[in-house]
Amino acid sequence: MTPEIVILAMIAAFLGLRLYSVLGRRAEHEEEPIQGRFEGRQGQPGAPRVAAPAKPDSRGEDRARLQQAQRLREVPLASPAVERGLAEIGQADRRFDAAAFVEGARGAYRMILEAFWKGDKAALRQLCDDEVYAGFEAAIDARLAAGETLDNRLIRIEETAFVAAGVDNSFAKITLRFRSDIAAVTRDAEGNVIAGSLDDAIESIDVWTFGRAVNSPDPDWLLEETDEG
């Protein structure tokens, strides 16, 4: 995916949040590690574990299991290989939570796209690694040199799906595929529309990889690779 093809806009519910505050962090009151939700059943590595029934007289445990089941439903379906990768990340970083990561990644997707559309290099610098940032920066500079601006709308994110996950040399990576509907307009220096239309949304499929060193005290996940689906 080139930055020129990534088309942007957002209703900025997540704007202003640092990526680490929305990606992969467990809620303070939760205690169950990620491997408890993704460890394999006997003979089926990586398959989600089905929780055993709670004790009848243990309302606290029953409530915890219901919360666990709810969070499992929030995690997109993934292949056994991806589930094993998520389990590896959970074992390396006990704070990691797959459902929270997906929710945060959707917010980060919106934040990064809008920052690119607005030409907000400072926001992109915080959310992207050096290589991805350099690509966005070059596209923004080229757009400014041409006197063009983007007036785009992210209508909705239709689907977020796991593509890959795992840990390599203490570095965690998670790849997600975003399928979204976007309305895009390019304007010239006088504000005239030279391409696109806000009346017609088109489907966009982006495959993004986020990474983080699991042994680092810095909790940030950064966007380190972009591609088209």
Side-chain angles (χ1 to χ4, degrees):
M1 174 193 71
T2 63
E4 292 89 345
I5 296 176
V6 177
I7 319 240
L8 292 193
M10 99 175 222
I11 313 297
F14 294 95
L15 196 60
L17 294 179
R18 287 291 300 262
L19 187 61
Y20 75 84
S21 70
V22 292
L23 277 181
R25 300 189 66 187
R26 300 183 57 77
E28 293 291 336
H29 65 278
E30 295 185 38
E31 298 180 357
E32 185 203 2
I34 185 67
Q35 61 265 32
R37 290 191 301 279
F38 285 91
E39 64 183 351
R41 293 190 296 270
Q42 184 176 2
Q44 298 181 0
R49 183 180 63 181
V50 178
K55 297 178 182 179
D57 60 346
S58 179
R59 287 179 293 180
E61 290 184 15
D62 185 53
R63 182 165 55 252
R65 293 181 189 279
L66 288 174
Q67 292 174 346
Q68 173 186 336
Q70 175 61 37
R71 294 194 70 75
L72 268 175
R73 287 193 291 271
E74 295 171 359
V75 178
L77 294 177
S79 69
V82 169
E83 289 175 353
R84 287 193 294 270
L86 293 172
E88 289 177 3
I89 296 172
Q91 290 165 1
D93 182 358
R94 305 285 289 187
R95 298 172 300 173
F96 178 73
D97 179 274
F101 182 90
V102 171
E103 180 183 356
R106 289 167 64 90
Y109 179 72
R110 293 171 178 266
M111 290 169 63
I112 292 170
L113 290 180
E114 180 172 79
F116 172 66
W117 290 335
K118 292 170 60 179
D120 187 346
K121 295 181 181 180
L124 291 170
R125 177 68 280 182
Q126 295 183 32
L127 302 173
C128 306
D129 75 356
D130 293 342
E131 184 176 353
V132 172
Y133 172 76
F136 281 128
E137 181 182 40
I140 290 171
D141 290 344
R143 194 169 68 216
L144 291 174
E148 297 175 352
T149 59
L150 298 178
D151 182 10
N152 304 330
R153 303 289 185 272
L154 176 59
I155 307 303
R156 68 183 64 85
I157 300 175
E158 293 281 4
E159 180 185 37
T160 307
F162 284 110
V163 175
V167 179
D168 183 16
N169 292 325
S170 298
F171 195 84
K173 291 185 179 183
I174 298 178
T175 302
L176 297 175
R177 181 177 62 252
F178 299 94
R179 182 168 61 86
S180 58
D181 293 332
I182 297 173
V185 164
T186 301
R187 300 182 185 275
D188 63 18
E190 286 73 42
N192 301 312
V193 176
I194 57 176
S197 169
L198 290 178
D199 295 328
D200 299 312
I202 60 174
E203 182 179 85
S204 176
I205 298 178
D206 298 303
V207 179
W208 286 12
T209 298
F210 298 92
R212 176 184 175 271
V214 296
N215 57 2
S216 171
D218 184 353
D220 290 20
W221 287 81
L222 297 178
L223 176 63
E224 67 164 29
E225 187 176 344
T226 63
D227 202 351
E228 291 185 312

